[in-house]
Amino acid sequence: MDPFFNTLGRKILDHWKQENFSLQKFPQIARSTLDTNPPAKHVNLASLMREFLLTDDQPLQTDSPFGEPEIVTYTHPRFYIQLLFWMEGTTAIHQHEFSGAFHVMHGSSIHAHYEFQNAQPITPYLKVGNVKMNKMEILETGRTMPIISGPQNIHSLFHLDSPSLTVVVRTQHDPGTGPQFNYLPPHLAIDPHFSDTLTMRRKQLLDVLAGTEDAGYPQQVLEMIADLDFERGFSILHHSMAYLQQIDAWKPVLQAFEKKHSPLAAGVAATLKEDARRSVIKSLRATVIEPEHRFFLALLMNAPTRDDLLALVSQRFTEEDPIAIVLRWAQELIEVSDAGVTILDASFPDTLQIESELQPQLFLSAFRHFLKPEKKLPPVIRDLPAADVKELRTSFAESSLSLLI
Ligand SMILES: [Fe+2]
């Protein structure tokens, strides 16, 4: 392993040992040691990778699937240092069962901080409450942030460059601070590591019914929802939502869950809808590579309102009007194919009788109009029947761009 990490690990160990391995002091020790010895300045990535590939004498590696991949660069019984690669990945909104600090070694990320208000545990593995975003910031290469275990440090990272690299200095495990909840805005927290094997197998069996297009699928799910407790019912609901929507059988199942678990279930529909919206944005990362466009995706995923989104655009691009920047991104992201015209996951409505070569410009004009409504309608919009304008608006409102419309 690169000797830099051995030296870094020993410095942290010496300092922490002097503090009698105080858990409260570890994040600050990790952070200050990373700040005075920044991996972003001192590590040659190409030679680290070559050495790791060719030399057997390495720290013990984990089987964690968290990074893409995760490389352990230093290990001690009390703490270890890992190098996380991020290619496509973005983290869920999560808390930690460990503490320490992370350092952006390469690339940059959008970092969002949250709190979970009015938490009401339903089981040890699921809570309802309100996920509230407090702050979003851009972490550039070289930034170091502390990690505090437990619910006071809930965050998510959306990496803008591919690959992005973070160095994490972390304890092995902070007793009593678990489980490591993931948060599903706006209203749920679940333990992603809880293994309910019966529910897992039931979901797989439902997939068999879906895969064979069994007509009894919706009724089967309805009966399960009528019988199951909140936690397992939510898990089945979450799993079967996409297929039930596809076969137009979603509404009665959702209503059955809401009726059985009222008033606890009040925030479930909004949470599932938001989860689906976030999944679409995550999947768009596979095709959207340009860092500015990824920045746009990160804002669409995490900004609570349109004004928050535009404020964050202004923060990064101080010289330009944020609306003009968003419009430029929309123009760059427009795609024309045999399947039609799209901006991200918003598609030009196929119900409109418009010649195909005119569709891209019309779609962009409509987006501009919905983003920044003007008293005087632009000619291309003014000439359209009201029903067509409504269709265009619906197309954006049902896409990941809905925040802006
Ligand atoms: Fe984290």
Side-chain angles (χ1 to χ4, degrees):
M1 179 48 63
D2 191 311
F4 169 83
F5 285 105
N6 220 2
T7 309
L8 182 71
R10 287 206 179 132
K11 281 181 180 168
I12 292 167
L13 175 60
D14 288 346
H15 194 161
W16 197 23
K17 199 166 128 190
Q18 283 169 29
E19 299 290 353
N20 291 319
F21 295 121
S22 157
L23 213 50
Q24 285 68 34
K25 291 188 176 167
F26 188 66
Q28 183 48 34
I29 292 168
R31 183 186 194 176
S32 62
T33 315
L34 280 164
D35 272 339
T36 46
N37 306 271
K41 271 195 187 160
H42 296 293
V43 176
N44 181 316
L45 184 62
S47 57
L48 180 146
M49 288 171 75
R50 183 174 165 75
E51 195 271 348
F52 189 81
L53 291 169
L54 292 174
T55 309
D56 275 346
D57 183 16
Q58 301 295 343
L60 185 66
Q61 299 300 307
T62 69
D63 57 3
S64 163
F66 189 61
E68 296 172 313
E70 164 190 313
I71 305 279
V72 175
T73 58
Y74 175 88
T75 186
H76 177 271
R78 299 271 173 155
F79 77 100
Y80 62 103
I81 305 176
Q82 56 189 183
L83 176 59
L84 297 172
F85 288 73
W86 296 101
M87 302 301 285
E88 296 295 334
T90 173
T91 70
I93 302 170
H94 63 280
Q95 68 181 62
H96 311 88
E97 206 173 352
F98 59 88
S99 51
F102 71 94
H103 171 91
V104 184
M105 182 171 134
H106 178 78
S108 57
S109 308
I110 296 279
H111 189 211
H113 303 253
Y114 300 83
E115 63 181 292
F116 193 56
Q117 300 172 328
N118 308 318
Q120 187 181 350
I122 308 300
T123 69
Y125 318 108
L126 184 146
K127 295 187 282 187
V128 297
N130 298 313
V131 182
K132 180 171 173 280
M133 201 195 77
N134 288 331
K135 191 173 131 190
M136 263 173 93
E137 63 193 332
I138 299 164
L139 300 182
E140 303 287 1
T141 304
R143 276 290 293 277
T144 307
M145 300 297 292
I147 300 168
I148 314 290
S149 49
Q152 67 268 46
N153 183 192
I154 301 170
H155 75 159
S156 70
L157 285 158
F158 194 110
H159 304 292
L160 299 174
D161 304 275
S162 186
S164 287
L165 274 84
T166 43
V167 173
V168 181
V169 176
R170 53 162 289 177
T171 54
Q172 300 283 357
H173 172 245
D174 293 1
T177 60
Q180 205 157 251
F181 280 106
N182 276 353
Y183 292 84
L184 306 182
H187 295 301
L188 281 182
I190 55 172
D191 175 2
H193 303 292
F194 172 52
S195 169
D196 174 355
T197 48
L198 174 60
T199 303
M200 176 188 75
R201 294 301 189 212
R202 283 175 167 168
K203 288 181 197 170
Q204 290 171 335
L205 211 51
L206 283 174
D207 289 347
V208 172
L209 293 179
T212 54
E213 297 182 12
D214 189 303
Y217 184 100
Q219 181 59 28
Q220 187 67 70
V221 177
L222 259 180
E223 287 179 37
M224 290 173 78
I225 293 297
D227 180 63
L228 287 170
D229 53 283
F230 188 98
E231 178 200 290
R232 295 185 302 160
F234 174 76
S235 185
I236 295 296
L237 204 61
H238 192 194
H239 183 77
S240 58
M241 179 170 74
Y243 183 64
L244 286 169
Q245 285 177 334
Q246 193 187 316
I247 60 172
D248 205 17
W250 168 240
K251 224 172 171 182
V253 176
L254 175 64
Q255 283 169 346
F257 183 85
E258 286 174 328
K259 192 174 165 199
K260 180 174 169 67
H261 297 290
S262 174
L264 269 184
V268 164
T271 301
L272 289 169
K273 191 176 175 196
E274 175 62 11
D275 188 62
R277 192 186 76 91
R278 285 171 175 260
S279 296
V280 168
I281 298 177
K282 262 186 227 167
S283 67
L284 287 168
R285 284 180 57 101
T287 50
V288 175
I289 295 158
E290 188 63 38
E292 267 192 38
H293 297 161
R294 285 191 171 218
F295 177 69
F296 186 35
L297 285 184
L299 299 187
L300 288 171
M301 183 187 274
N302 294 298
T305 67
R306 166 200 147 98
D307 288 348
D308 290 318
L309 186 147
L310 294 174
L312 283 155
V313 174
S314 293
Q315 193 183 316
R316 191 167 212 201
F317 302 93
T318 48
E319 307 280 299
E320 284 177 79
D321 170 28
I323 296 256
I325 293 172
V326 169
L327 288 171
R328 171 165 63 77
W329 289 338
Q331 189 157 14
E332 289 162 358
L333 286 162
I334 200 160
E335 280 188 11
V336 181
S337 69
D338 292 345
V341 177
T342 57
I343 303 174
L344 296 176
D345 57 324
S347 304
F348 189 88
D350 51 16
T351 47
L352 267 63
Q353 303 296 311
I354 303 286
E355 286 177 44
S356 55
E357 62 267 29
L358 299 177
Q359 290 182 6
Q361 195 49 48
L362 177 59
F363 207 34
L364 273 174
S365 298
F367 181 64
R368 178 180 291 112
H369 172 60
F370 300 138
L371 180 64
K372 191 184 178 186
E374 296 139 314
K375 277 186 189 161
K376 199 176 168 194
L377 291 176
V380 279
I381 305 294
R382 197 170 52 218
D383 296 343
L384 287 177
D388 285 2
V389 179
K390 197 175 167 194
E391 286 281 333
L392 284 162
R393 180 183 286 278
T394 303
S395 170
F396 290 114
E398 289 179 350
S399 76
S400 55
L401 296 161
S402 58
L403 191 72
L404 291 164
I405 302 306

